[in-house]
Amino acid sequence: MALVRGLRFAQSSARQPVLSLCRQHASFSRQCVNTTPRYSLQSLKQVKSYAGSLRQCATQSGSGGPSRSDRIIGKWMLGCAGMVAGAVLLGGVTRLTESGLSMTDWHLIRGMKPPMNEAEWEAEFNRYKQFPEFEHVHHDFQLADFKRIFFMEYMHRMWGRAIGVAFAVPAAIFAYKGWLNKGMKIRVGIFGSLILFQGLLGWYMVKSGLKQPKQETDIPRVSQYRLASHLGSALLLYTLMLGSGLKLVLPHDKAAGAPPAGLGRLRGVVHGVKGLTFITALSGAFVAGLDAGLVYNSFPKMAERWIPEEILSHKPHWKNFFENPATVQFDHRILGSTTATCAVAAWVLARTVALPPQARLAANCLALMAIGQASLGISTLLMHVPVSLATAHQSGSVALLSIAYWFSLELKRLAK
């Protein structure tokens, strides 16, 4: 009878969430075992078996597919990560169109309002004329030209503010509902701090380009060190959000059986590709900050030489890697070629490992994206850095980093 009651209870509760249902069934069955001594030993064994099955069901449900709240938080994280990737893209276009110094001050609230009439536009333009970029670069600009670069920088800043709102408002709602566990609260705090840091770092970077150049022949530009820091922190924020989102959205069942042979070595190579992609992207920031892409526009050689003559012309020598345009371009070539080679090597190695379809797809995407990214870089160089190709090349670095992270996550799930 206890077994019958338990089965009827299961049928009547079929629409409840699986985890809650299984735990209730297990509790009910244990009560039946402890309170029904008059039933036969056969019935008691059946009930015990039933209770054990339900406890196993509860355990599997707790470690299987994500809950509804986890899926919502995961999609929110992925959406914020996508917005950060959009900010990286907008920042690249802003830099390539020489628009980043068009707004010469920064106010969190007041800066949200652009000039609304001709008098305000004239006042903004006259303020811009007081800074070195107008004198050295845009001295022939008219008001219409200034509006074009102003709106590019304005859109980049407003997108950053939109990221802050899209992150802070849902975070407050989820915290109020109690959906954030201790670990997620810590991550949300870190992400929020990084978003705020990004805004402050962006203005700190812009300020470096508003100063008079040290030499009259120099072109006003932002510090390549600050530009690389700004890009690096954005990519760090993006990868952290992407990882948190994927872990919550994707199913996280443990792989059945032992990990496939060769998995450890493959994971090491993929981790190397992730690191190389990140470092190569930072190297690209130095290339952009120094306009190093315009120094040598031939490939694979640099003006008929494999190694440029001035590669170590600066003293002390370590400054060449950050301040010498020829050395910076050379380094970026080496890093890009190494990254693409390692990505293809990871694909070749993956073919020797018994991977499930999802991980196999990630390996294929990694190799294709690496080859495409290298091709974009070479084309950008040979065509003297057109805005369209250079923007696609910067976007490609984010895509390659994303795929490498996805592939490493698929392999991590297999290793459990």
Side-chain angles (χ1 to χ4, degrees):
M1 290 298 295
L3 181 59
V4 173
R5 288 172 58 196
L7 292 174
R8 287 178 178 175
F9 179 72
Q11 292 175 354
S12 66
S13 306
R15 295 182 180 179
Q16 298 181 35
V18 175
L19 178 59
S20 175
L21 176 63
C22 290
R23 287 174 176 169
Q24 291 180 30
H25 285 184
S27 176
F28 175 78
S29 299
R30 285 194 300 270
Q31 292 177 11
C32 292
V33 173
N34 296 330
T35 60
T36 56
R38 61 182 180 276
Y39 298 124
S40 65
L41 182 60
Q42 180 74 18
S43 298
L44 291 177
K45 288 182 178 179
Q46 290 176 345
V47 172
K48 287 182 179 180
S49 176
Y50 178 63
S53 299
L54 289 171
R55 282 194 297 270
Q56 183 180 3
C57 173
T59 303
Q60 291 175 349
S61 298
S63 62
S67 66
R68 176 176 173 272
S69 61
D70 283 347
R71 287 195 301 271
I72 292 174
I73 294 174
K75 290 177 181 178
W76 164 60
M77 284 286 180
L78 292 178
C80 289
M83 293 186 71
V84 173
V88 172
L89 173 61
L90 282 173
V93 176
T94 301
R95 174 70 187 86
L96 290 165
T97 56
E98 297 180 335
S99 306
L101 301 178
S102 58
M103 296 180 70
T104 56
D105 57 4
W106 189 86
H107 299 282
L108 180 60
I109 303 301
R110 188 150 51 92
M112 297 175 65
K113 177 180 174 295
M116 302 300 293
N117 52 53
E118 202 68 15
E120 292 181 358
W121 275 113
E122 287 290 349
E124 192 70 35
F125 189 28
N126 289 333
R127 186 182 300 113
Y128 174 70
K129 290 179 180 179
Q130 301 173 15
F131 290 88
E133 186 178 61
F134 178 80
E135 177 186 351
H136 293 271
V137 182
H138 294 155
H139 52 84
D140 58 342
F141 261 31
Q142 302 299 317
L143 183 59
D145 302 311
F146 173 70
K147 287 182 179 180
R148 175 177 53 80
I149 64 172
F150 180 92
F151 272 121
M152 185 62 67
E153 172 65 8
Y154 176 78
M155 186 163 54
H156 182 51
R157 294 192 184 190
M158 290 303 295
W159 188 260
R161 288 176 171 87
I163 293 173
V165 174
F167 178 82
V169 173
I173 294 174
F174 297 150
Y176 176 77
K177 289 187 174 183
W179 287 5
L180 305 179
N181 57 33
K182 183 178 179 180
M184 182 56 68
K185 287 179 180 177
I186 294 174
R187 286 195 291 273
V188 167
I190 293 174
F191 298 159
S193 300
L194 281 173
I195 291 172
L196 179 61
F197 176 71
Q198 269 294 96
L200 298 175
L201 184 57
W203 172 240
Y204 180 64
M205 177 190 69
V206 169
K207 283 181 65 177
S208 66
L210 299 177
K211 300 176 181 178
Q212 194 69 32
K214 295 180 180 180
Q215 300 179 10
E216 288 295 326
T217 56
D218 288 345
I219 297 176
R221 54 167 65 98
V222 299
S223 164
Q224 68 271 25
Y225 296 101
R226 300 184 190 184
L227 177 61
S229 300
H230 191 45
L231 176 63
S233 60
L235 291 177
L236 176 63
L237 175 62
Y238 170 74
T239 52
L240 291 175
M241 285 184 163
L242 177 69
S244 296
L246 288 176
K247 289 174 184 176
L248 290 174
V249 171
L250 294 177
H252 40 273
D253 293 321
K254 293 184 178 180
L263 180 64
R265 183 172 55 176
L266 177 59
R267 289 186 67 192
V269 174
V270 174
H271 284 311
V273 173
K274 281 196 303 184
L276 280 170
T277 304
F278 190 88
I279 295 172
T280 305
L282 292 186
S283 169
F286 282 93
V287 172
L290 293 171
D291 287 331
L294 300 174
V295 178
Y296 291 98
N297 296 102
S298 57
F299 190 87
K301 292 185 177 182
M302 302 174 71
E304 303 303 323
R305 296 179 63 92
W306 289 106
I307 300 176
E309 291 180 329
E310 67 273 34
I311 192 169
L312 293 177
S313 60
H314 291 192
K315 304 293 182 181
H317 288 324
W318 66 265
K319 283 191 173 182
N320 288 279
F321 298 96
F322 307 103
E323 299 179 9
N324 185 339
T327 309
V328 167
Q329 189 194 115
F330 177 80
D331 292 343
H332 192 60
R333 291 178 180 223
I334 297 300
L335 285 169
S337 301
T338 304
T339 302
T341 302
C342 290
V344 174
W347 175 77
V348 173
L349 184 59
R351 294 181 64 84
T352 66
V353 181
L355 299 178
Q358 197 78 0
R360 183 75 61 193
L361 175 63
N364 294 338
C365 290
L366 181 67
L368 289 174
M369 190 65 238
I371 295 172
Q373 175 67 350
S375 301
L376 276 173
I378 295 171
S379 301
T380 302
L381 183 71
L382 295 178
M383 299 183 69
H384 298 264
V385 196
V387 174
S388 57
L389 276 179
T391 302
H393 185 51
Q394 181 164 325
S395 304
S397 66
V398 178
L400 182 60
L401 184 61
S402 305
I403 295 172
Y405 196 99
W406 168 39
F407 191 21
S408 68
L409 185 59
E410 292 289 344
L411 297 179
K412 180 179 179 180
R413 295 164 62 196
L414 288 175
K416 290 184 178 180

